[in-house]
Every structure is written in structure tokens, then in C-alpha cells.
Amino acid sequence: MHIRFRIPLFRIWYSTTYTVLFFILIVLLAVTPADTIYQSIRSNEIQKLFVVGGVYLLTFLITLLIYSTRLYTNRSILQAIPKPYIPVEDGEVGRLVRRMVVKALKRSAIVAWDSRPRDVRGEAGTRPSTAEKNHTVLKRRSHHQEDATLLPVSAASPPWGHVSHPGWGSPASNDLPNIIYLDVVTELPNLIEAKAVSLAPPDPAVEGQVHPEDNTPILPDAQIVALLQRPGSTGLRDYMSRLSSYGLINPPSLGPKFLSQYEYARFSTHFLSELEFRNLMAVFAEILNGMTELDPVIIEETRAEDVESDRRSLASSASSTSSTGSAIRYRTPRLTRQSDSGPSDNGSSYRDGSESPQTVRTAPS
């Protein structure tokens, strides 16, 4: 592969010519002061040397200053070509241009306000006060009717569309404004437990004593409440399985469906979208609507088991009490010897009463 190098002949000729002419000019400029200095040395006029040297030194300094100033000016102008600001202030443009620019800036500000995504439900028929003032001033200054600069924004179909962010309800939503989805999801197990506990029947020991006209709440059956409560160490999956065994999840297929959506919403690293949150809440509402009443057979079985456990506990306590009482009953008391009392006292003690010296009066059991 052969590479052809192009020789810049014009650049070589231009540089060479410029250099030669530059040296010729320097030589011509140096001829006059050199001849003056030579003549001053031959005529022994030393003062002319200082005059010629000072004039040329001053000329060189002035030339250097002008050249440096020109370089600085050119560089500053080149750097200022992309201006960091728009030159539309007073004094930079004419009055008519300035007025036109101000009018356009005001209109742009109003358009930017109207096109900003926001909740427009409370802005029906209203305009920003600054826009009304600017529009009124412009109408007074002109003799013809001007078009409104405000954009009409419809609350039903705004130009920016439907705004939705994962994990957070839109402020313009009708039913879920500014709601945090995760906060609602964490409360769903507590709501399911509260709904299940509310199905507990009244306590049979108190049910007949409460008058219907009283506004006091009826006490629920404690055994059924304990049966329907969720222990702290029980997960939601096990609790839902237990409620399904009691017949409270209708239909039973809602349990696995709700658990899959709940576990994804609760433990996933991604936030829920609005559609996923609405689907989860729809299944949750179906579960609550299906929890109507507890099976009476389960209630009777629970109460029967509780009565049986009470009987067993009473029987065990009675047997332990009887064994303790028999041991005390056949204990033989021991008499204490009376050293200070005489024979007359002992004789009177068992003659007046029915007690013998071999018995001791004890307190009634």
C-alpha cells in the first residue's frame, strides 16, 4: 500500500517570502539609527547616542503595548461570540424590540404554566392572576382584539395524559389521591383478621342478659375470638389456610390468588403500578365480601372442646384436693405436757366436758 504525501508548496513559498521580507525590513529600519550612532561616535557627540537610543526604546515599548492590547481584544471578542446570556435587556436592543421580547417572554411563561402536569380539578374557569393582568394591559395598549395566550386545559383529558408513578397514587386521581401503596399493603393482614374476629358470635353467658334496646356492644365469645385471631408467630399464608378450613374464604380459589399478589407487593424489590394495586385491592374486597358467617358446627365443636377441657381441669383439681384432705384427716395430734397444772385441773377439764386427755380440740375444717 503506497501512501502519497502532498507537499504544501504554497505554504513553503508563503513562509519563505514572509521571512525574507521581514529580515529586509529589519535591516532597512536599522540602517538609519546605525548610521546616526556611527556619525555620533566619530564626531564625539555622546549625547546623541542617548537621544537615539531612548527614542527607539520608547517606540518599541509603544509598539509592544499596542500589539498586546490588540491580541487581548481579539481573544476576548472571539470568546464572547457564544454569549452566556441573551442580549435583550434595556440598552442592548431598541425599545420596540424590547417590548416585543417582553411580550413573548410573558406569553412563554403562561404557556409553560398551563402545560405543566398538575391537578387541574380545582382550576375550572380560573386563570393565574398574573396572566389576567398582563392580558388586560396588552388589550388597553392595542386598539384591536388580541388572542388569549392561555392554553385551555381539560380536567377530563389533560394534554400531558395520565400521570402515574410506581408505588404512589397520582394527585389527580379521583379515588386514590396521594396514596402510598406499600402502607396499604402492610395493613391488609390486620384487616382480614379484624373481619374474621368480627364474625365471632356473642358470649352465651352474657347473651340472654343484654336487652335489645341497649346500645352497649355485645361481648363476643372469647373461645371463638381466640380461634379466629392470628398469632404473632403465624404467617399470612398459614392464617389464610386456617380461615379457608373454617369455610371463611369463599370461593377457596381466592386465597392462593390473593397470597401471590400480596407476597409480590410486600416483598418484591419493584414498586406496584396502579393497575397491579387495583387488582390486589379487588381480590381483597372479594375476600372480605365472602366472609359472611362462621359455620355453627365449628362454633359448637369449639365450645364442646372448651367444656371438656374445663371438666378435666376440675376433675384433676378435685382429686388433688381430696388426697390432701385425707392426709390431714388421719394425722394423730401430739399432746404437750403441762408442768404447771395440778391434778385437780386435769380432772376438771375432762369431767366438765366430753373431751378426754387423749384428744385435742382442733379448728373446724
Side-chain angles (χ1 to χ4, degrees):
M1 181 178 182
H2 299 282
I3 300 176
R4 295 181 179 181
F5 294 97
R6 184 179 180 181
I7 301 175
L9 298 177
F10 178 77
R11 183 178 298 177
I12 295 174
W13 176 81
Y14 182 82
S15 301
T16 305
T17 304
Y18 181 82
T19 304
V20 172
L21 292 178
F22 178 75
F23 279 108
I24 292 174
L25 180 61
I26 292 298
V27 170
L28 293 177
L29 290 176
V31 168
T32 303
D35 182 67
T36 304
I37 293 173
Y38 178 74
Q39 295 295 333
S40 300
I41 293 175
R42 290 189 61 180
S43 61
N44 201 14
E45 296 177 352
I46 306 301
Q47 65 276 8
K48 292 182 180 180
L49 298 176
F50 294 100
V51 174
V52 173
V55 171
Y56 273 88
L57 180 61
L58 182 61
T59 304
F60 176 75
L61 294 177
I62 294 175
T63 304
L64 183 62
L65 178 62
I66 294 174
Y67 182 72
S68 302
T69 305
R70 184 173 181 179
L71 288 179
Y72 176 76
T73 303
N74 292 339
R75 184 171 297 179
S76 301
I77 292 175
L78 292 176
Q79 292 179 354
I81 287 178
K83 295 184 178 298
Y85 68 97
I86 302 176
V88 293
E89 299 297 332
D90 292 334
E92 296 179 345
V93 294
R95 295 181 59 184
L96 296 178
V97 177
R98 172 64 181 170
R99 185 181 302 174
M100 181 186 65
V101 170
V102 170
K103 178 181 177 181
L105 289 177
K106 291 180 179 179
R107 182 181 182 277
S108 299
I110 296 174
V111 171
W113 166 261
D114 287 341
S115 60
R116 183 174 60 90
R118 64 190 185 278
D119 187 7
V120 296
R121 292 176 298 176
E123 299 181 3
T126 61
R127 293 180 179 179
S129 58
T130 55
E132 293 181 352
K133 294 180 180 178
N134 296 334
H135 189 62
T136 305
V137 171
L138 292 176
K139 289 178 62 177
R140 290 180 180 177
R141 290 183 178 179
S142 60
H143 299 284
H144 61 278
Q145 182 70 24
E146 295 185 357
D147 296 335
T149 58
L150 297 176
L151 297 177
V153 179
S154 174
S157 59
W160 49 81
H162 178 68
V163 178
S164 178
H165 190 278
W168 176 63
S170 174
S173 178
N174 295 324
D175 52 350
L176 303 174
N178 291 323
I179 188 172
I180 306 300
Y181 297 156
L182 185 59
D183 295 344
V184 179
V185 171
T186 53
E187 291 296 327
L188 295 183
N190 299 330
L191 297 177
I192 293 177
E193 181 183 2
K195 177 64 176 179
V197 171
S198 65
L199 301 178
D203 193 348
V206 188
E207 185 177 4
Q209 301 177 6
V210 179
H211 300 284
E213 61 272 6
D214 294 341
N215 295 327
T216 57
I218 301 176
L219 294 178
D221 193 347
Q223 289 78 17
I224 307 302
V225 170
L227 180 69
L228 297 177
Q229 283 181 340
R230 181 170 70 100
S233 60
T234 303
L236 182 61
R237 181 175 290 273
D238 297 337
Y239 183 64
M240 294 289 292
S241 300
R242 191 170 70 177
L243 293 182
S244 179
S245 64
Y246 296 157
L248 296 179
I249 306 299
N250 298 310
S253 60
L254 289 177
K257 183 178 181 181
F258 172 76
L259 286 173
S260 62
Q261 297 182 5
Y262 168 80
E263 290 175 352
Y264 174 79
R266 184 68 176 84
F267 306 107
S268 176
T269 56
H270 302 283
F271 293 103
L272 288 181
S273 63
E274 183 177 355
L275 180 60
E276 293 174 341
F277 180 74
R278 291 184 180 274
N279 293 335
L280 174 62
M281 297 307 296
V283 178
F284 174 72
E286 292 181 8
I287 289 177
L288 294 186
N289 293 332
M291 299 171 65
T292 56
E293 61 179 356
L294 188 62
D295 191 359
V297 177
I298 298 177
I299 297 176
E300 296 299 331
E301 291 179 356
T302 304
R303 289 176 177 176
E305 291 177 359
D306 184 70
V307 171
E308 184 66 23
S309 62
D310 290 343
R311 289 178 179 176
R312 292 176 181 176
S313 61
L314 290 175
S316 60
S317 61
S319 61
S320 61
T321 304
S322 61
S323 62
T324 305
S326 60
I328 298 175
R329 181 178 180 181
Y330 295 102
R331 181 178 299 172
T332 303
R334 183 173 295 180
L335 293 174
T336 57
R337 186 178 299 272
Q338 301 290 335
S339 59
D340 297 336
S341 59
S344 60
D345 296 331
N346 294 333
S348 62
S349 61
Y350 64 80
R351 278 196 305 267
D352 295 339
S354 61
E355 298 174 352
S356 62
Q358 287 79 19
T359 59
V360 176
R361 180 177 297 178
T362 58
S365 59

